[in-house]
Amino acid sequence: MEGEDASEGPMMDEIYANGGDDANHKRPIISGEQLDVEAYAGLYVGRTKITRLLFISDHCGNPAMQLEALRMAYDEIKKGENTQLFREVVQKIDGRLGPNYGMDNAWCEMVDRRAEQRKGKLESELNAYRTNLIKESIRMGYNDFGEFYYAHGALGDAFKSYVRTRDYCTTSKHIIQMCLSAILVSIEMGQFTHVTSYVSKAEQTPEALDSVTAAKLRCAAGLSHLEAKKYKLAARKFLEVGPELGTSYNDVIAAQDVATYGGLCALASFDRMELKNKVIDNIGFRNFLELVPEVRELINDFYSSRYASCLDYLGNLKANLLLDIHLHDHVETLYDQIRNKALIQYTHPFVSVDLHMMADAFKTSVSGLVKELEALITDNQIQARIDSHNKILYARHADQRNATFQRVLQTGNEFDRDVRAMLLRANLIKHDYNSRSSSRKL
């Protein structure tokens, strides 16, 4: 490789040695172990814990992991009142976990009977409140109905009940509670347009939001942007989440998810300066990254141009990320964008790059690397040309000398034009041209 500036030697050497065995840059790479389902499920509570376990059982290729997820989902559902979901899980288990994880008709009948009684009681109470026109009681009645429907898996009815409380909200606190409930149900239903709408409503309340509520809303907005593939906006929202979030939003998202989603979206969409200022130097977000050391290390490796190590981390994380209910659809896109950014960043400082050494750095073949570079050159993301015979990439840097001459010439022409215009105006004023023209017309 031939550098443009000898003063950049140390940095160039580090980039040049990406694929090498420099002991100073060696970091332990995480093993490709399968996801610890029990530890993962322990990060969440409520319905999202069950839906994440079922997602793992549907998408993993490991039968043992699949059965473990179904077993945990079965146990979790038995703690609640969603008999429809219970029947679905029993059907998926299909007797593979023995008699203790089979159909429990007695439990289903008991829960359904109790649900009918509870529903009748709620209806009578709500009718009484509406007759008496007590706004706060009506609001609480609809809120109770929302919680009832949510517990039994009727998400559409739960959403409608929560939204109906809006007409009976008398304080900002009530509005925020309504918005958070609507957001929770909307995320479960996958209706992220509703999520965006109710995040906006909550943020527009007259009273200032407390730090925990603000953190929850930023998480919800981040998930909405992620779903819409607006990765830069998603990264900004996750990076704004404060450490006060803690475990307060585990019925939607865990703190580890904030680090993973925010870190990967930032890598895929931020430029080098943004990555430094908004991620690496972000003290608040650093607390989240400490929970997921692999993501922290791959971000640091990417910024330090240790691409081989960074790509190793990404490769080891990929299998588990594909089992994430929110991230799985975006893993391939994010990985492609991160890799493309790494290729662009690697080639940028050089006049020429040896493709054999670059292929070693990115752990790929020369032919595969050439195809990737061709796509980036065609897309105008890299200004370069490839010497296919000698396997060298030559940068197409602008002729700085010619560009300087052109700028000087343009500046001279603009100065000459401005001087002529100024002299013309001065002569017109000197000879009182406007006044004489006016008098001649009279």
Side-chain angles (χ1 to χ4, degrees), residues 383-403:
Q383 304 295 323
R385 63 187 186 278
I386 298 173
D387 182 343
S388 299
H389 178 70
N390 295 313
K391 304 302 180 187
I392 297 176
L393 180 78
Y394 291 102
R396 287 179 177 167
H397 292 293
D399 187 337
Q400 297 295 335
R401 185 173 181 177
N402 182 58

Side-chain angles (χ1 to χ4, degrees), residues 26-41:
K26 269 192 172 182
R27 296 177 184 271
I29 301 300
I30 58 172
S31 64
E33 294 177 1
Q34 69 179 36
L35 182 69
D36 185 338
V37 180
E38 186 172 357
Y40 177 78

Side-chain angles (χ1 to χ4, degrees), residues 134-149:
I134 305 172
K135 291 187 72 172
E136 175 60 13
S137 297
I138 296 172
R139 185 189 71 82
M140 292 179 66
Y142 278 124
N143 197 65
D144 289 342
F145 253 116
E147 292 175 356
F148 170 81
Y149 285 128

